[in-house]
Structure formats: C-alpha cells, structure tokens
Amino acid sequence: MMKKHILGGAICLFIGILSYNNSQAQFTLGAQLRTRTELRDGQGSPLSLGTKPAIFTSQRSRLSAGFTGYRFKLALTVQDVRVWGQDVSTINRTTTADNNGFMLQEAWAEIMLLDTTVKNKTLNLKIGRQELNYDDGRLLGNLNWLQQGRRHDAALIKFESKSWMLHLGTAFNQNKENAAGTVYTATPPGNYTANTNGGTQYKSLEYLYLGKKLAKGNISFLFLADQFNKYHTDTVSGVAVKTWDEGVYNRATTGLFFNNQFNKLSVTASAYYQFGSNASGQTISGELLSASFQYALCKSFSAGAGADYTTGGLSSSGRTSKAFDPLYGSPHAFWGLMDYFYAANGFGNKGLQDYYIKTKLKAGPRFQMTLDGHEFFSSSYIPGGITRRFGTEADLVGIYALSKVITFEAGYSHFWNTASLTAASVKNITNAQSNSNWAYLMITLKPELLLK
C-alpha cells in the first residue's frame, strides 16, 4: 500500500510538472543504481574463532525528480534497498514484510520568501523529508555510504548571503495521527533505523547553524537540541518491556567547526560539548575534539595526519555519563571504514581516541587511490587492567570513473584488535579472532537529465 501511494504521488508530480506553463521552469530527472558486493570477515565487530565470513550483494535503486519554478523548488526521491535474493523469484508480494526496502528518501519543497530581485541574499523555507548535511558531515550528514542513507522529516528556515549562512531547523515526530497525546514510540518497526542512540529515534529536534565562508573554507557554529520520549520499564512474564510515558529527556550539543586551505596545506578542526540527558534519561557531559591536516606534496599526491578524541566512561560520582554521541552524522567517513566505532555495532561507552595517517593519490582525471592507517584507544579505563589500546586498522580504496555516469570503487580493510576491544564492557565477544578483514566492490550508475 505504501509503495502504491509513493508511486501515485510521483506520477501526480510528473503530470503537474508537464502541465506547468512557465518559461523559467526547469525540470530535472535523475536515477541511481548502486550495487555493492561485500566480504565480511569481522566487519563491524571481530568474529568468534571458527565463524565463517559472509558474502552478499546489496543494491540501491533510486529515481529522483526536481522542479524549479518562480519562487519555489520541489524535489522527490524514491528508492529501493535490498540484498540480492532477499525475495525469491516467485514471491507473490512486492517485498517481504520484515525487509521492506522501498521507501521515500526525499520529498521537500523550498519556498523563496524574498523577492527574486533581491541580490546576494536569500530567505527560504524548506519543508518535508530532506537530508541534513553540514560541514564535514561528522554530526549532521546524509550517511551516503549506507545504502538507505539518512533523512529527516523537518522544516528549515535558511538565510544566506554572499559570505554568511544562518539555518534554523526543527522536527517533530509522531507514530501516527493520534486522537490524543503526543507519546512517541521511539523504536518504530523496520530494518532501516540506524543511528548512534541505540536505535532510539528522537521525538523532536531543533538546531541553529551559523556559518561564514573563508577564502578557501568555512567556519561555523552549531547548537542542536534533541528530545527523546520518557519511558519506564515493566517486567512481563520475566521479560523487561518499555512503557512510554508523557514528557521528554532533553539533550544539547554545541560547538565550532573550522576548515581552510592555505596554499598546499588543508587544515580541519572541530570541538563540541554535549550535555543534558541521553535517550535513557542519564545525565551526560561529553566532549569531541578533532584536528587534522592534509598537505599536497605534488599535484597528484597528498598526505596528512590527525587525531579525534571523544570522552567516555562515568564521572567520579558515577552518576554522569561522559560518553559523547556523534548525533546524526556519517561515521563511516571518520573512524575507520570497517565501522567498529559509532556505527551500527556498539562498543560500550568508553569513548575513543583515533590517531590516523591519510594519503591520496590521483593518477589522472579518472583514477584515485587512498591508503589510511588508524590507531585506536579507549578514552577511559577498561575494567580488568586491560590496555586501553583497541587495535590498528588499515584501509585501502581505489576509485575509477569510466565516465561521468559510471564509477567503479573497490576497497580492502584489515583490523588487528586487542583483547580490550572484545572485552565484556566493550564489544563483549568471547573467543574472538585477532585479525579481521573486509572487502567490497561497488558499481554506481548515476545518469541525470535536465529539461527547460
């Protein structure tokens, strides 16, 4: 039923576009097909000894349409995400109930509130399902690596000038059209909820983003507040069950981001503080610090280094969590490609120190290769007197653009872990292997069509 509604809406939008009579109108139509074949031998978490690796192919299929007219923009993206063979070839339904991969990725409208004759300044209202992607995507990102990506149902006021931008955003989630009350069941059904709040979706969110363009970069300030529905736990037949209550737990995150290029040197730094209460109602006081540089040794090769630090553990009183949550970003781009930290696979609340070296080789206009090395440590004490060192990761990625539409990407990662990583208070894996591997081959086709 949901699939029919989405397709019906897409058809209605298309008909409306064709019938719109405006010489300034512009219509874009795009598609994307992305397949990714993976070998997982300890991706996300080390496997226990004797466990066999997994091999599968996942596919993202997207169709997007955009329409620009006088003082407005419209965009719609529908997608299907599934694993090859997920549905048997003779199934009599469009998809299996537990792995419904057809969804609405984006559906938004942007209204220009200022007259179009105003130069170098815009004041726009953007409403609907949309991606939020700011700065390097560490805290607010579209999570493009994940086949289903990340999106928000939100309203956004955007003021922008030649060098400044001020965004005010808000979201308010509900499970359905209720007759009374605003209690939100924060773990909606489906296999496509991925965030760092333990699978708990926020009930509401508000943020202020202030950014200024620099000569070859930008500096920005972010204040974000998100709220989670309160709950209490009951025991039913010996099983703990959440019962959702009125009221919310409030959390806030604020900080600065800086990025700029000085001749051949690119510098990035950020610092954020998090306070309030997390999704479990626990008082929090966490920090994130990050700094890195990349230097172009020649036209085709650059190298750099950096360090990330997130606090973890408990305060001296044991009542306050110091674990920083990186919100709704794209962790795959930062803390190792094997997604051991701040991704779908948890690693406790110990915090993380990541010291890394990154290199990039551009061998012509179509091919590039990156080789990165990470050394991971816990930011807090691990019970049992185990070392704070989690392990070492090496990531190798090659990308070849056959054309503007077709791209091939392949990668291999290896993780050498210590007993600290698999300890009960971290990933809690018994009899774990000490070496893990992950490899993938991704093929992307992304044609676009522009009509006026």
Side-chain angles (χ1 to χ4, degrees):
M1 185 63 69
M2 177 183 177
K3 184 175 181 179
K4 291 180 179 179
H5 287 169
I6 295 175
L7 288 174
I11 293 171
C12 290
L13 175 63
F14 184 72
I15 293 173
I17 289 170
L18 294 179
S19 62
Y20 187 84
N21 184 19
N22 190 323
S23 60
Q24 296 180 339
Q26 181 175 290
F27 174 59
T28 59
L29 184 65
Q32 184 188 67
L33 191 144
R34 187 173 85 175
T35 65
R36 186 162 66 225
T37 301
E38 298 185 46
L39 166 67
R40 292 187 176 184
D41 184 17
Q43 187 272 347
S45 293
L47 297 178
S48 298
L49 291 172
T51 305
K52 293 184 178 181
I55 302 176
F56 62 89
T57 298
S58 62
Q59 178 172 317
R60 172 203 284 179
S61 306
R62 281 184 175 176
L63 180 64
S64 58
F67 187 55
T68 301
Y70 177 64
R71 299 185 71 164
F72 77 91
K73 295 179 181 178
L74 287 173
L76 176 70
T77 300
V78 293
Q79 69 180 16
D80 182 81
V81 177
R82 63 188 59 247
V83 173
W84 284 7
Q86 175 180 304
D87 296 339
V88 297
S89 59
T90 55
I91 196 167
N92 63 352
R93 293 173 292 171
T94 55
T95 185
T96 56
D98 293 337
N99 295 290
N100 190 338
F102 192 87
M103 66 192 78
L104 186 66
Q105 171 66 10
E106 290 186 286
W108 53 261
E110 187 165 347
I111 303 167
M112 290 67 170
L113 300 176
L114 293 181
D115 190 271
T116 54
T117 58
V118 177
K119 303 297 182 182
N120 299 324
K121 290 183 181 180
T122 61
L123 180 64
N124 297 351
L125 171 64
K126 187 176 181 180
I127 53 174
R129 177 160 292 191
Q130 56 191 285
E131 296 179 348
L132 300 179
N133 205 26
Y134 290 93
D135 298 327
D136 58 358
R138 186 184 293 270
L139 297 187
L140 284 174
N142 61 3
L143 197 55
N144 185 58
W145 170 259
L146 203 66
Q147 291 285 47
Q148 62 268 24
R150 189 196 298 279
R151 84 293 302 175
H152 302 259
D153 298 324
L156 178 61
I157 290 286
K158 304 164 58 178
F159 173 78
E160 299 181 5
S161 64
K162 187 176 181 180
S163 59
W164 288 90
M165 58 185 298
L166 174 65
H167 289 191
L168 296 171
T170 183
F172 183 77
N173 293 329
Q174 288 291 277
N175 299 110
K176 61 181 181 179
E177 296 182 359
N178 295 317
T182 61
V183 171
Y184 180 62
T185 302
T187 52
N191 290 347
Y192 298 98
T193 299
N195 55 56
T196 54
N197 300 304
T200 301
Q201 172 77 350
Y202 61 79
K203 179 178 179 178
S204 51
L205 178 146
E206 308 82 33
Y207 72 91
L208 179 152
Y209 176 87
L210 177 64
K212 186 182 189 308
K213 294 180 182 179
L214 303 177
K216 293 184 178 181
N218 71 294
I219 185 170
S220 65
F221 167 79
L222 173 70
F223 181 87
L224 184 147
D226 48 357
Q227 294 81 39
F228 303 91
N229 212 109
K230 289 185 175 181
Y231 68 92
H232 68 273
T233 302
D234 294 324
T235 301
V236 180
S237 300
V239 178
V241 178
K242 280 185 178 180
T243 300
W244 302 98
D245 304 319
E246 292 286 355
V248 295
Y249 300 119
N250 289 279
R251 181 176 67 175
T253 306
T254 187
L256 297 170
F257 172 85
F258 170 84
N259 172 257
N260 203 27
Q261 186 169 337
F262 307 92
N263 197 6
K264 296 182 178 182
L265 179 67
S266 177
V267 178
T268 302
S270 58
Y272 297 96
Y273 176 64
Q274 195 167 79
F275 57 98
S277 300
N278 59 23
S280 300
Q282 185 178 25
T283 301
I284 56 174
S285 178
E287 301 168 15
L288 182 153
L289 302 173
S290 175
S292 66
F293 73 90
Q294 195 82 4
Y295 185 79
L297 297 170
C298 61
K299 188 176 181 180
S300 60
F301 182 76
S302 64
D308 292 349
Y309 174 80
T310 60
T311 56
L314 298 172
S315 64
S316 56
S317 66
R319 298 176 181 176
T320 300
S321 171
K322 298 174 68 177
F324 184 93
D325 187 324
L327 299 178
Y328 314 100
S330 302
H332 182 80
F334 301 101
W335 296 292
L337 299 184
M338 291 185 72
D339 292 337
Y340 271 44
F341 309 101
Y342 297 114
N345 293 271
F347 72 108
N349 63 348
K350 302 302 178 183
L352 183 68
Q353 299 177 52
D354 177 15
Y355 305 96
Y356 53 87
I357 296 174
K358 296 192 174 186
T359 62
K360 178 184 288 188
L361 172 66
K362 289 186 176 181
R366 294 188 177 186
F367 178 76
Q368 74 173 36
M369 179 178 292
T370 60
L371 177 61
D372 304 339
H374 296 260
E375 192 73 13
F376 297 106
F377 295 83
S378 171
S379 294
S380 57
Y381 172 72
I382 298 176
I386 306 173
T387 175
R388 289 192 179 190
R389 180 171 169 268
F390 284 145
T392 305
E393 180 175 339
D395 300 320
L396 176 65
V397 175
I399 302 175
Y400 177 73
L402 183 65
S403 68
K404 292 182 178 180
V405 172
I406 307 168
T407 303
F408 294 88
E409 179 176 336
Y412 172 76
S413 297
H414 192 94
F415 202 107
W416 297 266
N417 63 274
T418 67
S420 296
L421 184 69
T422 57
S425 59
V426 187
K427 285 189 174 287
N428 191 25
I429 301 171
T430 58
N431 198 28
Q433 59 188 22
S434 58
N435 287 266
S436 300
N437 302 276
W438 174 63
Y440 72 94
L441 173 63
M442 187 162 67
I443 303 174
T444 304
L445 287 81
K446 193 176 180 180
E448 292 185 353
L449 176 68
L450 173 64
L451 298 175
K452 291 186 178 180

